[in-house]
Amino acid sequence: MQTLGEFLISTQQKHPKSTGEFSRLIHALRLAAKVVSHEVNKAGIVDILGDAGATNIQGEAQQKLDVFAHDLFIKALTNRNIVCGIASEEAEDFIQVNSPSERGNNYVVLIDPLDGSSNIDVNVSVGTVFSIYKRITPLDYDVSIEDFLQPGTNQVAAGYILYGTSTMLVYSTGDGVNGFTLNPAIGTFYLSHPNIKLPSDGHIYSLNEANFLTFPDAIKQYLLDRKKQDSQYTTRYIGSMVSDIHRNMFKGGIFLYPSNAKSPNGKLRLMYECNPIAFLIEQAGGLAISMNKRILEISPKTLHQRTPFFCGNKEMVEILLEYLT
Ligand code: P6P
C-alpha cells in the first residue's frame, strides 16, 4: 500500500506550482499524530490521565492528555516554518507564529487537539480535528483574527485523526477524502481507505437524546417520526464526535447535535469541529447543516462560537431539512 509520504509526493506532482509548504504542513500533523497516538495508547499505564487542574476556554476541566496534545500540535506546526497562526480549543486567543522567517507563511490552522477527551479515562476513542486556511491579510503583517474567521467554504484542507482500535488520519484538500492507517510497529501511515464516499443511504442516527425535551420542536418531530418508521432506524452514539462521524462515514447515518436548554447555541464549535467535519462530509458526498443553513456558508463571528450541527448522508439530511424549512 502507498504510504502517506508517497501519496503527498504524487499529489504534489499534480500541482507543479506548489511550493511543498502544504505537504510540510501535513507532515507536521502526521508527526504529532504519531506521538499523540503513542501517548493515548499507553495512557492507562502512565500517569497522564485525570484532570490537569486547569480549565480551558470552554470552562471544561482539561485532562492531562488535552494539554499534552495541544502543546504537541502547536510545537509541530510552529517548528516547521509552515504556518503564520494557530487557533486551538485549548487556548482563548489565537497563537501568532511570526518569527521573522515565518512571516512569509501562508497558512493558518484551527485545531481541536483532543476532541472527546472526557472519554479518555474510560478507554473510549478520541480524536483530533483540524481545519486549514490560507491567510487573507498581507504576508508581511502579523496574522490577525480575520485570517481565522473565514467561512468554511474557504478551507484549503481539513481532516481528523482518530485514536481508536487503530489510529487513522482522514483528510481532504478538496479533491475527495482519503484515509490513512498507522502501522505502529514501523510508525508509517498507509493509504488504507482511498476516495471515501458515504453510502447512498443510512439507517443510523447519532445524538444524545437525554436533551430531547428541550430540542427545537422540528427536531423533536423529526425524531418521533423516525421512531414510527417501523424501526428501520437504529441509534448509535459514542459521545466522541470523531468516532461517531467516522462510523457514519462508512456505515451511513446522520449525526445530530441540536440546540437545547444546556447548550442554547448547540455544543459543538463551528471553527475547529463543525467546519472541518462539514468539509469532509461534503467531499464524501454528504450534507452538513446548522438548522436550515449549510455549515460551510456560516460567517463566523468569534473563534469559539458554537452551532447546532447535523451532518451525514445526503438523503438523510435532506429528510431532516424538510422539517427545518
Ligand atoms: P454530550 C465531547 O465532549 C464532545 O465535544 C464531542 O466529541 C461529542 O460529540 C459531544 O461533546 C458529546 O456531548 O452532550 O452528548 O456529552
Side-chain angles (χ1 to χ4, degrees), residues 54-63 66-67 70 87-94 111-113 267 269 272-273 302-306:
T55 56
N56 65 16
I57 167 83
Q58 322 299 340
E60 294 164 345
Q62 276 191 300
Q63 302 258 0
D66 267 354
V67 180
H70 167 80
S88 166
E89 183 202 33
E90 303 298 340
E92 188 159 354
D93 295 319
F94 63 83
I111 190 163
D112 184 355
K267 176 181 183 183
R269 290 84 169 185
Y272 41 78
E273 289 176 338
T302 59
L303 214 43
H304 300 286
Q305 75 183 67
R306 301 171 191 262

Side-chain angles (χ1 to χ4, degrees), residues 18 35 56 60 114 123 125 145 149 233-234 293 301 303 313 320:
S18 76
V35 177
N56 65 16
E60 294 164 345
L114 212 56
N123 212 4
S125 303
I145 192 66
L149 297 183
Y233 289 81
T234 188
K293 182 158 187 168
K301 299 287 180 296
L303 214 43
N313 295 79
L320 172 62

Side-chain angles (χ1 to χ4, degrees), residues 289-302:
I289 59 173
S290 174
M291 296 312 273
N292 59 359
K293 182 158 187 168
R294 188 177 168 223
I295 281 280
L296 295 179
E297 291 175 352
I298 294 175
S299 299
K301 299 287 180 296
T302 59

Side-chain angles (χ1 to χ4, degrees), residues 100-217:
S101 65
E102 270 127 14
R103 271 209 188 273
N105 292 339
N106 270 312
Y107 296 101
V108 296
V109 177
L110 296 99
I111 190 163
D112 184 355
L114 212 56
D115 173 74
S117 55
S118 53
N119 293 297
I120 293 171
D121 41 7
V122 290
N123 212 4
V124 167
S125 303
V126 290
T128 298
V129 192
F130 59 89
S131 172
I132 303 171
Y133 293 85
K134 282 212 170 198
R135 70 179 295 176
I136 52 177
T137 55
L139 282 188
D140 53 356
Y141 280 49
D142 279 352
V143 73
S144 62
I145 192 66
E146 290 78 16
D147 293 306
F148 294 93
L149 297 183
Q150 300 185 50
T153 45
N154 286 6
Q155 290 175 100
V156 293
Y160 60 76
I161 299 143
L162 176 58
Y163 311 100
T165 45
S166 61
T167 292
M168 278 193 72
L169 167 61
V170 177
Y171 79 93
S172 171
T173 57
D175 187 19
V177 183
N178 291 290
F180 300 82
T181 301
L182 177 66
N183 175 344
I186 54 175
T188 301
F189 278 99
Y190 286 95
L191 179 58
S192 52
H193 299 79
N195 196 24
I196 299 170
K197 291 293 179 198
L198 280 155
S200 57
D201 191 7
H203 305 287
I204 292 173
Y205 62 85
S206 317
L207 83 159
N208 182 343
E209 292 205 72
N211 304 314
F212 180 86
L213 292 180
T214 60
F215 285 158
D217 290 344

Side-chain angles (χ1 to χ4, degrees), residues 115-116 118 208 211 237 239-242 244 255 257 267-269 273:
D115 173 74
S118 53
N208 182 343
N211 304 314
Y237 191 68
S240 187
M241 179 186 65
V242 174
D244 280 313
F255 176 89
Y257 207 104
K267 176 181 183 183
L268 300 176
R269 290 84 169 185
E273 289 176 338

